[in-house]
Amino acid sequence: MAEVAMHFNEDSFNRIFPFYFQLSSDLKIINFGKSLAKVCPDLERNALFSSCFAVTRPQLEIVSFAELLKNDKQHILLKYAKTDLTLRGQFEIMDDTLLFVGSPWFTSMNEVINRDLTFEDFAHNDPLLDLLHVLNNAENTSKELKELLLTINRQRNQLKSDQEELNRLSYVASANKNGVVFTKLDGTIFWCNDAYTNLTGFDREDILGKTPLEIGRTSKTDKVEIAKMIAAFNTSESFEVELHHARKDGNSFWSRVKGQPIVNDEGNATQYFAILEDVSLKKRYDESLEIEKEKYRSIIANMNLGLLEVDLDDRITMANQSFLEMSGFELNDLLGEKAAIKFLSPESIKLIESKGILKDNEISESFEVTAINKNKERKSWLVSGAPNYDLQGNVIGSIGIHLDITGQKSQEEQLYLLSLIAEKNINAVIICDAQGYIEWVNGSFLKMSGYTKEEIIGCRPGRLLQGVDSDLDSVKYLREQIKKGLPFNCEIVNYSKTKEKYWVRIQGQALYDKEGAIIKYFAIEEDITAQKNLEDQKENLISDLAKTNKELEDYAQIVSHDLKSPLRSINSLISWIKEENENSFDEQTIKYFSLIEHKVEKMDHLIEGILTYSKIDKDETRNESVDTHAIISSIIDIIHVPQHITIRIVDTLPTIKADRFKIQQLFQNLIGNAVNYIDKEEGLVEIAAEELETSFIFSIKDNGIGMAKEIHSKIFETFKTFTNSKHSTGLGLSIVKKVIEFYKGEIWLESEEGIGTTFYVKLKK
């Protein structure tokens, strides 16, 4: 018969040998079963056999493929290195690999359960399951027998213990310093100890057969506490009350009564017992303590310093009102929170951690921290911490007193900054005490005066610096102001250590404390020697300039008179020559004479313009109401206006405060210019005004030849003319500009060649 070939896939092999693994010739695990993966969860393919398993039987000196091959078909025990699980089985050669087939070695079902294994994880023919079942049944039977024996022994011991307990309870109840009573379910007392009779003053005959309420009730006994006790008694529950208890002599004492039902095996109450304790002394102590606590609470609540209590875990247990105001939180927001995390900045936490303050609540120390309040504002707090003890002297946390020094810190920073500013100031800074003696000066003061700090500290500034040329009125003014504690500001001559004079502008004032008392004086001195020298030079220059201007004005008058005289003579001579030789001159000669007359006339206009220009800011000026409409109307009538040109006033022009003559000069030059430079067959000049809040803007618009933009800024320069007009002297717009500057006004223009020009004049009301 032919040999039957057997073929397995992985699933069928797993069902038969679920705890198998296969080794390559280099002892690497190349495959393993699904159940083996459950008991060896960290097992991986290609892992080295010797790093995962140890051969415990037989003992092998060297673990190698050849050595394992020698022991095939023998019983092998392997121990998994990571969980100490033992596998038993044998190795079989398969092609060029070794196949281990076996199963875990368990000694109880609990081991199977603890490794989350089920019946499906074992091969169906594995005898280990049957053996484990037998062991499990034996274990359960043995366990039940042991429990039964323990129950019997426990019950026997309980009976003995109960008897002993009853004897002890009887002794304890009799010997107890507190009163003890036993009652029936109806509340009647059937037993009491000696302490109960001693506390109440009643005899046993007075007590037995009565209820505790009949014995102990007084007019002072709290009805609420009585109702609480009766309710607990009726429902067979425990109770604890504090109330006034009667004595036989008519007095009473504070008592604490604890009641407890006695129940049978079914849990039903059969009797009641109660313990009566005299707590009068404790009550008085508690009341006294409560009074002291109330004082303590009142002090804490009203103190200006913030108080915070924390437990050993740094959790907040109490905060007073001042602390709540400092932090911005409500009390409910803080209780139970960790104080350091709730308030402190990260850098402050590191600081106190480095000092060990958070870890050791027994440290008493003061330190400065940066805190963050509810509004996320950074504040500076000064914290003084100390341990907090209970009545037994045990440390239960710590108490911290907190002072908000944010304002003080800010002032310190400001003072530091001010001191830097004062020290680096280019002006001299000096600080004196309340009596006027120098306490501090900066480097600029030392450089200016030439003294050292050692030479001036403790001196009075006036005696040190003032001298012969120091103005006595200024000295008196300084003394009076300082004496009155008022600010002072003046200029005075000081003297350096080498007796060199220098001018200073000094300003200063007194510094006051919160009560209004002067604590210091400070002053700033600016060296104005150079400025004073410039002022002297300026006064000399002004004087010289005024003299020169007067001479120039006189010279202009003289020159204009001397120039006009020969011009008039020339004009007269030409007239005489023309009259005497009326018919003797040819046309060319007459033309020459006309040119001479025009040049003479132009020269006369030029001289007149120079005189006018020189007098604009020197004439006595009258400030009167000037009707610009009437002024401009008269100008139109006075000047020569060709027939082809129309001058129109738009609306009514305003009345302004000015000098009538200067305003006439201003508008006469502007209107005359507009007329002279019109080249159109129909010329038009429009004059208008616009009222603003504090000024008027006049406009003189023409349709003349216009001007190029590049000469707009040059037309107001003296003697500058940009046309060939015979009427132009180069002074008209210079006169206009000078008048406008005299009245602190403005002038500007808009112009386009071939289209026309508009001049704008802005004058104050």
Side-chain angles (χ1 to χ4, degrees), residues 301-364:
N302 295 304
M303 68 191 298
N304 292 327
L305 300 174
L307 185 141
L308 189 72
E309 285 188 9
V310 298
D311 61 16
L312 293 173
D313 196 31
D314 196 42
R315 296 192 181 276
I316 298 169
T317 56
M318 194 276 287
N320 71 344
Q321 186 60 36
S322 293
F323 185 87
L324 298 179
E325 291 173 359
M326 282 173 60
S327 65
F329 288 96
E330 298 293 333
L331 185 59
N332 292 335
D333 299 332
L334 301 182
L335 295 178
E337 297 284 338
K338 286 203 171 188
I341 297 173
K342 190 73 175 176
F343 302 112
L344 299 187
S345 65
E347 57 269 23
S348 291
I349 292 177
K350 288 181 180 178
L351 169 66
I352 62 176
E353 281 179 347
S354 67
K355 294 184 176 183
I357 296 170
L358 289 178
K359 295 179 181 178
D360 192 347
N361 286 278
E362 296 190 32
I363 294 177
S364 295

Side-chain angles (χ1 to χ4, degrees), residues 613 734 736-746 763:
Y613 185 81
S734 298
V736 168
K737 179 74 171 177
K738 201 166 186 182
V739 171
I740 290 171
E741 287 176 347
F742 181 82
Y743 285 109
K744 295 180 174 57
E746 297 177 41
L763 295 173

